[in-house]
mmCIF file of all heavy atoms in Angstrom:
data_model
loop_
_atom_site.group_PDB
_atom_site.id
_atom_site.type_symbol
_atom_site.label_atom_id
_atom_site.label_comp_id
_atom_site.label_asym_id
_atom_site.label_seq_id
_atom_site.Cartn_x
_atom_site.Cartn_y
_atom_site.Cartn_z
ATOM 1 N N ALA U 151 -106.676 -78.459 46.655
ATOM 2 C CA ALA U 151 -105.246 -78.622 46.890
ATOM 3 C C ALA U 151 -104.467 -77.857 45.825
ATOM 4 O O ALA U 151 -104.907 -77.729 44.686
ATOM 5 C CB ALA U 151 -104.853 -80.094 46.863
ATOM 6 N N ALA U 152 -103.296 -77.360 46.196
ATOM 7 C CA ALA U 152 -102.432 -76.646 45.253
ATOM 8 C C ALA U 152 -101.021 -77.205 45.382
ATOM 9 O O ALA U 152 -100.522 -77.410 46.497
ATOM 10 C CB ALA U 152 -102.441 -75.149 45.529
ATOM 11 N N ILE U 153 -100.401 -77.451 44.244
ATOM 12 C CA ILE U 153 -99.030 -77.951 44.257
ATOM 13 C C ILE U 153 -98.091 -76.767 44.478
ATOM 14 O O ILE U 153 -98.006 -75.858 43.655
ATOM 15 C CB ILE U 153 -98.699 -78.691 42.960
ATOM 16 C CG1 ILE U 153 -99.584 -79.945 42.844
ATOM 17 C CG2 ILE U 153 -97.223 -79.078 42.924
ATOM 18 C CD1 ILE U 153 -99.353 -80.759 41.592
ATOM 19 N N SER U 154 -97.405 -76.799 45.585
ATOM 20 C CA SER U 154 -96.445 -75.771 45.944
ATOM 21 C C SER U 154 -95.034 -76.337 45.741
ATOM 22 O O SER U 154 -94.802 -77.092 44.807
ATOM 23 C CB SER U 154 -96.686 -75.331 47.394
ATOM 24 O OG SER U 154 -95.842 -74.269 47.751
ATOM 25 N N ALA U 155 -94.108 -75.977 46.604
ATOM 26 C CA ALA U 155 -92.739 -76.477 46.524
ATOM 27 C C ALA U 155 -92.066 -76.239 47.865
ATOM 28 O O ALA U 155 -92.328 -75.229 48.529
ATOM 29 C CB ALA U 155 -91.960 -75.774 45.420
ATOM 30 N N ARG U 156 -91.187 -77.153 48.251
ATOM 31 C CA ARG U 156 -90.481 -76.987 49.520
ATOM 32 C C ARG U 156 -89.690 -75.679 49.545
ATOM 33 O O ARG U 156 -89.552 -75.053 50.604
ATOM 34 C CB ARG U 156 -89.544 -78.170 49.764
ATOM 35 C CG ARG U 156 -88.811 -78.096 51.096
ATOM 36 C CD ARG U 156 -87.915 -79.296 51.314
ATOM 37 N NE ARG U 156 -88.689 -80.488 51.562
ATOM 38 C CZ ARG U 156 -89.156 -80.860 52.762
ATOM 39 N NH1 ARG U 156 -88.927 -80.090 53.828
ATOM 40 N NH2 ARG U 156 -89.852 -81.968 52.917
ATOM 41 N N VAL U 157 -89.204 -75.245 48.388
ATOM 42 C CA VAL U 157 -88.434 -73.993 48.372
ATOM 43 C C VAL U 157 -89.307 -72.786 48.686
ATOM 44 O O VAL U 157 -88.792 -71.691 48.906
ATOM 45 C CB VAL U 157 -87.702 -73.791 47.029
ATOM 46 C CG1 VAL U 157 -86.688 -74.892 46.783
ATOM 47 C CG2 VAL U 157 -88.672 -73.667 45.879
ATOM 48 N N GLY U 158 -90.627 -72.954 48.714
ATOM 49 C CA GLY U 158 -91.522 -71.887 49.142
ATOM 50 C C GLY U 158 -91.559 -71.709 50.648
ATOM 51 O O GLY U 158 -92.160 -70.756 51.154
ATOM 52 N N SER U 159 -90.928 -72.621 51.381
ATOM 53 C CA SER U 159 -90.866 -72.505 52.838
ATOM 54 C C SER U 159 -89.824 -71.465 53.221
ATOM 55 O O SER U 159 -88.650 -71.568 52.834
ATOM 56 C CB SER U 159 -90.493 -73.855 53.459
ATOM 57 O OG SER U 159 -90.104 -73.699 54.813
ATOM 58 N N ILE U 160 -90.223 -70.463 54.001
ATOM 59 C CA ILE U 160 -89.282 -69.457 54.483
ATOM 60 C C ILE U 160 -88.373 -70.061 55.554
ATOM 61 O O ILE U 160 -87.157 -69.861 55.547
ATOM 62 C CB ILE U 160 -90.038 -68.232 55.014
ATOM 63 C CG1 ILE U 160 -90.820 -67.558 53.878
ATOM 64 C CG2 ILE U 160 -89.088 -67.229 55.662
ATOM 65 C CD1 ILE U 160 -91.736 -66.442 54.319
ATOM 66 N N GLY U 161 -88.966 -70.847 56.454
ATOM 67 C CA GLY U 161 -88.186 -71.445 57.532
ATOM 68 C C GLY U 161 -87.172 -72.464 57.051
ATOM 69 O O GLY U 161 -86.150 -72.691 57.705
ATOM 70 N N ASP U 162 -87.415 -73.080 55.900
ATOM 71 C CA ASP U 162 -86.533 -74.120 55.386
ATOM 72 C C ASP U 162 -85.527 -73.585 54.357
ATOM 73 O O ASP U 162 -84.777 -74.345 53.766
ATOM 74 C CB ASP U 162 -87.382 -75.226 54.749
ATOM 75 C CG ASP U 162 -86.600 -76.507 54.508
ATOM 76 O OD1 ASP U 162 -85.972 -76.993 55.459
ATOM 77 O OD2 ASP U 162 -86.616 -77.014 53.368
ATOM 78 N N ASN U 163 -85.526 -72.268 54.133
ATOM 79 C CA ASN U 163 -84.654 -71.674 53.118
ATOM 80 C C ASN U 163 -83.250 -71.472 53.686
ATOM 81 O O ASN U 163 -83.002 -70.533 54.448
ATOM 82 C CB ASN U 163 -85.244 -70.341 52.650
ATOM 83 C CG ASN U 163 -84.414 -69.695 51.552
ATOM 84 O OD1 ASN U 163 -83.405 -70.224 51.118
ATOM 85 N ND2 ASN U 163 -84.852 -68.531 51.109
#
Side-chain angles (χ1 to χ4, degrees):
I153 296 180
S154 184
R156 182 179 289 275
V157 298
S159 165
I160 296 173
D162 195 52
N163 182 1

